[in-house]
Amino acid sequence: MRTHVKVAVIGGGVVGASVLYHLTKAGWKDVLLIERAELTSGSTWHSAGGMHTVNGDPNVAKLQQYTINLYREIEEASGVSCGLHITGGLMLAGTPERVDWLRMAQARGRYLGMELELISPAEAKKIYPLLDEKHFIGAMYDPIEGHVDPYGVTHAYAKAAQLGGAEIVRQNRVVDTRPRPDGTWDVVTEKGTVHAEHVVNAGGLWAREVGRFVGLELPILAMEHQYFITEDLPELQGQKELLHVIDFEAEIYMRQERGGMLLGTYERAGVPWSPKTTPWDFGQDLLPNDLERIAPSVTVAFEHFPRLESAGIRKVVNGPFTFAPDGNPLVGPVKGLKNYWVACGVMAGLSQGGGVGLSLANWMVEGDPGADIWAMDVARYGDWATRPYTNAKVRENYSRRFRIRFPNEELDAARPLRTTPIYEKLQAENAVFGDYCTLEHPLWFAPQGTPAHEDATFRRSNAHPHVGDECRAVRETCGLIEISNYGKFEITGPKAAEWLSKVMACKVPAVGRIALSPMLNERGRLIGDFTMCRVAEDRFFVVGTYAAEVFYLRWFEQHLPPSGVRVRPCAMEYLGLSVAGPQSRALLQPLVDQDLSTAAFPFMSFAKMDVGAIPALVGRVSFTGEMGYEMWVTSEYLRALYDLLHEAGQGHGLRNFGGRALNSLRLEKSFGNWAREFRPIYGPYEAGLGRFVHLDKAHFIGKEAAAAEKASGGVRKLITLAVDARDADAIGDEPIWHGDKVVGWVTSGGYGHTVGKSIALGYVDNAVANETTGFAVELIGERRAAVRSADALFDPKGLRMRA
Ligand SMILES: Cc1cc2nc3c(=O)[nH]c(=O)nc-3n(C[C@H](O)[C@H](O)[C@H](O)COP(=O)(O)OP(=O)(O)OC[C@H]3O[C@@H](n4cnc5c(N)ncnc54)[C@H](O)[C@@H]3O)c2cc1C
């Protein structure tokens, strides 16, 4: 075994092997994989090997496509067979909602280059004779689905990596990882210590334990998972191999395995495996079968595929594999641990392993994953993702694997967890709450006497008219919204301004002023958007998306100078309320000494002031398009602030509003949102943030790339569309058509209640970005005409928020 390497990969499952292969392919040859037992000894060896391209996140779907297309490449590079069977696949729908879901998945596939085809149950029966068509009302055919041999795939990656210069050591457990002061690592194994510049935790079933070597509690949990293989069915003899099938109503997946059928299910009462600690002596073992547990699904499957009922069972497999709370992998560098990387929590290693390996290798070698992998980034979880939280969420997610997640649906597991001091007050106002990184926040307010409940649907819900009332109140008088669910950072020190000028693309504001601050990576892509408020020469209060807190901190940490700047996250220390609407100044003025007139406290001003007896940081900003004030207070004051503002608001028509109304109001203003309009695949000029990029500064990260984007105009543009929708608005990821071509995709959408229009924001190719007509947005399988608006649909000159 080498004693000094550039990278030590811990774990020889399909994911670790893929990482190793991609590192060698990217040019890092001095890499070592250390495996406790034999390759595939975790969850990989008993995987059913199924693979498909469809995924709820288009960026993950692209990486799944990449993975499937990679198998031929690694077979050629290694000479090892992956046992590749591209059979094609069928997704079967038994309810109208599932047909809607298929339509939306098919539509999304259009700009991903996927050829998904909606077919009738009769057509499905023709290509899949085992099904009884009377149980289905629709189906979707995907030509790129099938299965592989997990053992073959892992060995193909491993062999190809070895041919590229990598070393693989088996039967050698890593027992510790110790950081050195220079950021390199001592990887302590049963057979000696290796000094590695980088460590990759690809420990799969043991990734949690490997993480604990360095005090890291990764939010992953293994679940028991069962499938069985039937005896051979004579009618399959000599026939073309059957397609891979997902039957959503039975909640099963199925494929042919030699002469029989392999059928697996994600049961509703799933069982975690080793919830606290994974035993090191678990080898290539299987868990005891419990067919009773999967009986409800299997019974439905026998009705839907009657031939199976009389087929004997040849083999049952019950094996564990790991999940993150949202079911997506955990990939990337870990905040606070220099040169420590993870590639774990991969629940579909045969669909995703290639994409995970590619992204991580790119990240390590090039400094950037090369794709938008926010959905897989380990930094999407903070300390709030505790082990019990993870346990509750993973079980919930597992049980819902084949159920529809509606865009307006809130899930119940591990709730309520975090609440602010006004939670009960908002409850008393009949708030319908959403869960945001475990923090409860109001989505909308149901009328008193009606249930605080929203129906889950792809169409406009029962919330629609009430959200409309909230929006109108903000536009006509004023509204109050809790804004505690933002991320906040206190950035202080003699070099704070200089440093912020380097990491943010905007001009650093003067004391008492606010700047909107895009943050770019070296490639000039958007990796954050903030509201930067300058409290004093050496003190800033920076507000951004809370879900990205760890992601931002990881970036800040990488770019901090050794001294002179301190970054302190304070999201839950400072909670906030905002009043917005034409009456907001009249409401607030009597409560503060400061003159709030536009002359004295104009738009984008920021100051410490006492609101009543409450010390607050007050900013005059607006995400609604109305005159508005954001007030940040330490948490113990929030209740008093809420009461004070409510009382003061009585004469001004004040009304509570929630996140749904805020979304509608910001769409009317064409204001973008992080993770929707602003993501690392877009540049600031494409996203319409160019006016906040200060190219005159001597230096900031991404300046050269941003200047080049400005000069070239980028490749796409964010546009606003008014859509001729019926009862369903765009939600995001729908294709945008121009004429008979798909020219882009929606990033977010909804109904603009005060402009009376359905609105979609989205990116389109530059070639059509200045057209006005000819657009259509595909809403639940229907192309609805859309007109581009060059300006925001409400108050395009922004006069109201500056009034
Ligand atoms: C029953 C079942 C069916 C499945 N069906 C499918 C399917 O159809 N399609 C699909 O895509 N996925 C499927 N999966 C999931 C798939 O198996 C996983 O996504 C995949 O195996 C994850 O691979 P991994 O490399 O991350 O983890 P693992 O396979 O668990 O590999 C981790 C490796 O790390 C090694 N290791 C851990 N700690 C150390 C240490 N300290 N020192 C040295 N080595 C260490 C382990 O020995 C192990 O070999 C299924 C899983 C199960 C259980």
Side-chain angles (χ1 to χ4, degrees), residues 237-254:
Q237 299 303 315
Q239 299 295 314
K240 191 167 164 256
E241 187 174 7
L242 279 180
L243 308 177
H244 187 275
V245 154
I246 293 178
D247 173 356
F248 291 103
E249 264 46 65
E251 304 194 87
I252 58 139
Y253 63 87
M254 189 161 61

Short mmCIF file of all heavy atoms in Angstrom, two decimals, residues 237-254:
data_model
loop_
_atom_site.label_atom_id
_atom_site.label_comp_id
_atom_site.label_asym_id
_atom_site.label_seq_id
_atom_site.Cartn_x
_atom_site.Cartn_y
_atom_site.Cartn_z
N GLN A 237 -39.79 -17.59 -21.88
CA GLN A 237 -38.71 -18.30 -22.58
C GLN A 237 -38.62 -17.86 -24.04
O GLN A 237 -39.64 -17.81 -24.73
CB GLN A 237 -38.97 -19.83 -22.55
CG GLN A 237 -39.01 -20.42 -21.16
CD GLN A 237 -37.74 -20.14 -20.36
OE1 GLN A 237 -36.65 -20.28 -20.89
NE2 GLN A 237 -37.89 -19.72 -19.12
N GLY A 238 -37.44 -17.54 -24.46
CA GLY A 238 -37.21 -17.22 -25.87
C GLY A 238 -37.78 -15.88 -26.29
O GLY A 238 -37.71 -15.51 -27.46
N GLN A 239 -38.38 -15.11 -25.36
CA GLN A 239 -38.95 -13.80 -25.71
C GLN A 239 -37.92 -12.71 -25.46
O GLN A 239 -36.97 -12.89 -24.70
CB GLN A 239 -40.17 -13.50 -24.83
CG GLN A 239 -41.31 -14.49 -24.96
CD GLN A 239 -41.91 -14.47 -26.35
OE1 GLN A 239 -42.17 -13.42 -26.90
NE2 GLN A 239 -42.09 -15.65 -26.94
N LYS A 240 -38.17 -11.56 -26.08
CA LYS A 240 -37.34 -10.38 -25.80
C LYS A 240 -37.50 -10.03 -24.31
O LYS A 240 -38.61 -10.19 -23.76
CB LYS A 240 -37.87 -9.23 -26.66
CG LYS A 240 -37.01 -8.03 -26.70
CD LYS A 240 -37.50 -7.11 -27.84
CE LYS A 240 -36.90 -5.74 -27.66
NZ LYS A 240 -37.79 -4.74 -27.17
N GLU A 241 -36.44 -9.61 -23.68
CA GLU A 241 -36.52 -9.32 -22.25
C GLU A 241 -37.59 -8.26 -21.96
O GLU A 241 -37.70 -7.27 -22.69
CB GLU A 241 -35.16 -8.81 -21.75
CG GLU A 241 -35.12 -8.65 -20.25
CD GLU A 241 -33.73 -8.28 -19.74
OE1 GLU A 241 -32.82 -8.02 -20.56
OE2 GLU A 241 -33.56 -8.27 -18.51
N LEU A 242 -38.34 -8.48 -20.90
CA LEU A 242 -39.42 -7.54 -20.55
C LEU A 242 -38.85 -6.21 -20.04
O LEU A 242 -37.73 -6.14 -19.54
CB LEU A 242 -40.30 -8.14 -19.46
CG LEU A 242 -41.36 -9.14 -19.92
CD1 LEU A 242 -42.14 -9.63 -18.71
CD2 LEU A 242 -42.31 -8.52 -20.93
N LEU A 243 -39.69 -5.19 -20.14
CA LEU A 243 -39.28 -3.85 -19.71
C LEU A 243 -39.19 -3.77 -18.19
O LEU A 243 -39.80 -4.55 -17.47
CB LEU A 243 -40.34 -2.83 -20.14
CG LEU A 243 -40.79 -2.80 -21.60
CD1 LEU A 243 -41.88 -1.76 -21.77
CD2 LEU A 243 -39.60 -2.46 -22.47
N HIS A 244 -38.48 -2.75 -17.75
CA HIS A 244 -38.49 -2.38 -16.33
C HIS A 244 -39.83 -1.67 -16.09
O HIS A 244 -40.27 -0.89 -16.93
CB HIS A 244 -37.33 -1.42 -16.08
CG HIS A 244 -37.11 -1.07 -14.66
ND1 HIS A 244 -37.79 -0.07 -14.02
CD2 HIS A 244 -36.28 -1.59 -13.74
CE1 HIS A 244 -37.39 0.01 -12.76
NE2 HIS A 244 -36.46 -0.91 -12.57
N VAL A 245 -40.47 -1.97 -14.96
CA VAL A 245 -41.79 -1.39 -14.72
C VAL A 245 -41.86 -0.75 -13.34
O VAL A 245 -41.32 -1.29 -12.38
CB VAL A 245 -42.87 -2.50 -14.81
CG1 VAL A 245 -44.09 -2.17 -14.00
CG2 VAL A 245 -43.29 -2.70 -16.26
N ILE A 246 -42.52 0.42 -13.27
CA ILE A 246 -42.91 0.95 -11.96
C ILE A 246 -44.43 1.06 -11.97
O ILE A 246 -45.02 1.70 -12.85
CB ILE A 246 -42.28 2.33 -11.69
CG1 ILE A 246 -40.76 2.18 -11.53
CG2 ILE A 246 -42.87 2.94 -10.41
CD1 ILE A 246 -40.02 3.47 -11.29
N ASP A 247 -45.05 0.40 -11.01
CA ASP A 247 -46.51 0.48 -10.85
C ASP A 247 -46.74 1.31 -9.58
O ASP A 247 -46.55 0.83 -8.47
CB ASP A 247 -47.07 -0.94 -10.71
CG ASP A 247 -48.56 -0.94 -10.37
OD1 ASP A 247 -49.13 0.15 -10.16
OD2 ASP A 247 -49.13 -2.04 -10.29
N PHE A 248 -47.14 2.57 -9.78
CA PHE A 248 -47.23 3.49 -8.65
C PHE A 248 -48.34 3.10 -7.67
O PHE A 248 -48.22 3.31 -6.48
CB PHE A 248 -47.46 4.93 -9.15
CG PHE A 248 -46.26 5.49 -9.84
CD1 PHE A 248 -46.21 5.56 -11.22
CD2 PHE A 248 -45.18 5.94 -9.11
CE1 PHE A 248 -45.10 6.08 -11.87
CE2 PHE A 248 -44.07 6.46 -9.75
CZ PHE A 248 -44.02 6.53 -11.13
N GLU A 249 -49.41 2.54 -8.20
CA GLU A 249 -50.53 2.20 -7.30
C GLU A 249 -50.16 1.02 -6.40
O GLU A 249 -50.47 1.00 -5.22
CB GLU A 249 -51.79 1.89 -8.11
CG GLU A 249 -52.72 3.06 -8.25
CD GLU A 249 -52.01 4.35 -8.64
OE1 GLU A 249 -51.45 4.45 -9.75
OE2 GLU A 249 -51.98 5.28 -7.81
N ALA A 250 -49.49 0.03 -6.97
CA ALA A 250 -49.06 -1.11 -6.15
C ALA A 250 -47.80 -0.75 -5.35
O ALA A 250 -47.42 -1.48 -4.45
CB ALA A 250 -48.78 -2.31 -7.05
N GLU A 251 -47.18 0.35 -5.72
CA GLU A 251 -45.92 0.79 -5.09
C GLU A 251 -44.84 -0.27 -5.25
O GLU A 251 -44.17 -0.64 -4.27
CB GLU A 251 -46.13 1.19 -3.62
CG GLU A 251 -47.21 2.26 -3.48
CD GLU A 251 -47.26 2.94 -2.13
OE1 GLU A 251 -46.54 3.91 -1.95
OE2 GLU A 251 -48.03 2.50 -1.27
N ILE A 252 -44.70 -0.76 -6.47
CA ILE A 252 -43.66 -1.77 -6.74
C ILE A 252 -42.85 -1.38 -7.97
O ILE A 252 -43.31 -0.63 -8.83
CB ILE A 252 -44.25 -3.17 -7.01
CG1 ILE A 252 -45.22 -3.12 -8.20
CG2 ILE A 252 -44.92 -3.76 -5.78
CD1 ILE A 252 -45.09 -4.29 -9.10
N TYR A 253 -41.63 -1.90 -8.02
CA TYR A 253 -40.86 -1.90 -9.26
C TYR A 253 -40.61 -3.35 -9.63
O TYR A 253 -40.61 -4.24 -8.77
CB TYR A 253 -39.56 -1.12 -9.11
CG TYR A 253 -38.59 -1.69 -8.10
CD1 TYR A 253 -37.67 -2.68 -8.46
CD2 TYR A 253 -38.58 -1.25 -6.77
CE1 TYR A 253 -36.77 -3.21 -7.52
CE2 TYR A 253 -37.69 -1.77 -5.85
CZ TYR A 253 -36.80 -2.75 -6.22
OH TYR A 253 -35.92 -3.28 -5.31
N MET A 254 -40.43 -3.58 -10.92
CA MET A 254 -40.32 -4.97 -11.36
C MET A 254 -39.49 -5.03 -12.63
O MET A 254 -39.54 -4.13 -13.47
CB MET A 254 -41.73 -5.51 -11.63
CG MET A 254 -41.77 -6.98 -11.88
SD MET A 254 -43.45 -7.62 -11.64
CE MET A 254 -44.37 -6.74 -12.86
#
